[in-house]
Amino acid sequence: MNSETKLVGLFGYPVGHSISPAMQNAAFRALGINMRYAAFAVEPSRLQNAVEGIRALRFRGVNVTIPHKVAIIPFLDELDEEAREIGAVNTVVNADGKLIGYNTDGKGYVTSLVRETGISLPEQAALVLGAGGAARAVAVSLARSGIGRLVIANRTERKAQELAERVAEYTETAAIALEKIPRYMPDVTLVINTTSVGMHPQVDAMPLEERYLRPGLVVSDLVYNPLETRLLRRAREAGAQVHNGLGMFVHQGALAFRLWTGTEAPVDLMRETALRQLKGETSEEGDEKESKGEWPKG
Ligand code: ATR
């Protein structure tokens, strides 16, 4: 760090578990960019002060995570169109004191999905499980990227309807209760789990009945802890093509990196660093740990 070092960071509450600092710092270091990324636990009542701090301390920007992604919007100067449509911000850029809100979650997801599975979006009829914040980002980006059809299924049907209305201008969309899934399943080509069902520690739970998993289906899970959820394991065993949540995490970070630096991110390095961090093999700074068996902090 020196007086020229530009800071970026993460605003969340809590942030102890985040693997973003290691991933972003490894990328800055590899490209010789004089920036550092740090995580900040910002209490909800202090969010406005923290945003003012971005200006006062001349941060280049921040990532924003739970619970601030929606609450931060009134404190920003401008909102990118996709962030407005998603209704949430995960990346802020400080453009000479003007704070612009972006959302790279949805684009990060779509980039990862297309690169890792090779599917053509216009040919897909996607079943989105869930209608919360993550589903909003994914559904809006898929719709804007030209997906063929979207069926949004949620435990609380009203939320599925609200999300369907958000994306209806872009693609053919249906909102359904979970009980109606069987009726739609024969036409579905892509299943996307955006719920927390199957996430650690509830690793035995599955958001979709096993009988629907078949060859020819693509099954994608936003969860990356564990990397292979029960849904993905069963889907793989049934002959379906699977896609896990790590790529979305890596690519949302890579897109934020590009917004802050104007430079393409070293995506492969970021993925390797994130993976090692998940396995507990690196420190928060992204350095190799000296002694094996040491757990990551936080
Ligand atoms: P996130 O930001 O991760 O999307 P969220 O906004 O709280 O988190 O949304 C969680 C989603 O997972 C919701 O769609 C939720 O369904 P409800 O809208 O009915 O609450 C869904 N979800 C969580 N636990 C679930 C469960 N056990 N079974 C079915 N859906 C569940």
Side-chain angles (χ1 to χ4, degrees):
M1 297 262 296
N2 54 42
S3 61
E4 301 291 302
T5 306
K6 283 277 175 201
L7 279 178
V8 285
L10 173 67
F11 286 180
Y13 196 77
V15 290
H17 60 281
S18 176
I19 57 181
S20 289
M23 184 175 80
Q24 296 286 355
N25 284 323
F28 294 142
R29 205 161 42 230
L31 269 58
I33 293 170
N34 192 4
M35 287 174 90
R36 291 287 190 289
Y37 188 109
F40 299 91
V42 177
E43 280 178 34
S45 65
R46 305 206 182 235
L47 180 61
Q48 186 168 10
N49 288 334
V51 173
E52 205 42 55
I54 299 173
R55 294 189 180 93
L57 302 173
R58 295 175 184 264
F59 278 25
R60 179 62 184 135
V62 289
N63 278 143
V64 184
T65 188
I66 295 165
H68 303 314
K69 285 186 176 187
V70 178
I72 199 168
I73 292 174
F75 308 136
L76 303 176
D77 300 308
E78 233 176 68
L79 213 51
D80 164 75
E81 185 180 310
E82 183 155 320
R84 189 168 54 240
E85 290 190 1
I86 294 170
V89 162
N90 84 322
T91 302
V92 175
V93 173
N94 181 1
D96 296 323
K98 185 162 83 172
L99 301 186
I100 309 169
Y102 295 87
N103 192 310
T104 68
D105 286 329
K107 272 202 191 99
Y109 175 75
V110 172
T111 305
S112 159
L113 178 72
V114 169
R115 283 200 196 175
E116 289 166 43
T117 66
I119 59 172
S120 155
L121 291 181
E123 290 166 23
Q124 306 302 317
L127 171 67
V128 176
L129 301 170
R136 272 207 324 265
V138 163
V140 166
S141 275
L142 283 171
R144 289 171 59 103
S145 305
I147 190 128
R149 272 176 73 194
L150 276 179
V151 179
I152 301 163
N154 196 46
R155 185 173 59 180
T156 313
E157 194 178 352
R158 179 185 48 78
K159 281 169 68 183
Q161 278 157 1
E162 281 167 13
L163 179 50
E165 282 164 23
R166 246 174 228 267
V167 298
E169 66 171 292
Y170 292 108
T171 188
E172 189 187 333
T173 311
I176 62 170
L178 297 179
E179 302 77 59
K180 299 250 177 71
I181 289 176
R183 217 182 286 174
Y184 285 79
M185 219 45 222
D187 294 329
V188 166
T189 60
L190 167 64
V191 173
I192 304 166
N193 175 43
T194 74
T195 76
S196 51
V197 178
M199 191 188 291
H200 187 80
Q202 263 109 40
V203 294
D204 288 333
M206 260 176 82
L208 183 73
E209 283 181 48
E210 204 171 323
R211 62 189 163 116
Y212 298 119
L213 304 172
R214 52 170 167 78
L217 198 63
V218 176
V219 180
S220 172
D221 200 329
L222 267 55
V223 172
Y224 57 82
N225 181 18
L227 269 182
E228 188 176 65
T229 56
R230 181 167 182 169
L231 172 68
L232 292 191
R233 187 166 69 251
R234 293 290 194 231
R236 179 171 55 76
E237 287 165 357
Q241 189 179 359
V242 296
H243 171 249
N244 70 35
L246 182 64
M248 174 180 184
F249 176 75
V250 171
H251 282 281
Q252 63 76 31
L255 291 166
F257 180 100
R258 196 170 72 184
L259 286 168
W260 295 324
T261 65
T263 306
E264 282 305 316
V267 175
D268 292 341
L269 170 77
M270 290 171 82
R271 180 186 299 272
E272 283 160 27
T273 309
L275 201 53
R276 274 192 294 170
Q277 191 78 5
L278 283 175
K279 291 178 181 167
E281 290 170 10
T282 54
S283 73
E284 275 189 8
E285 285 296 300
D287 301 319
E288 297 265 348
K289 286 199 169 170
E290 284 172 19
S291 62
K292 278 192 180 158
E294 193 185 338
W295 293 94
K297 286 175 254 158

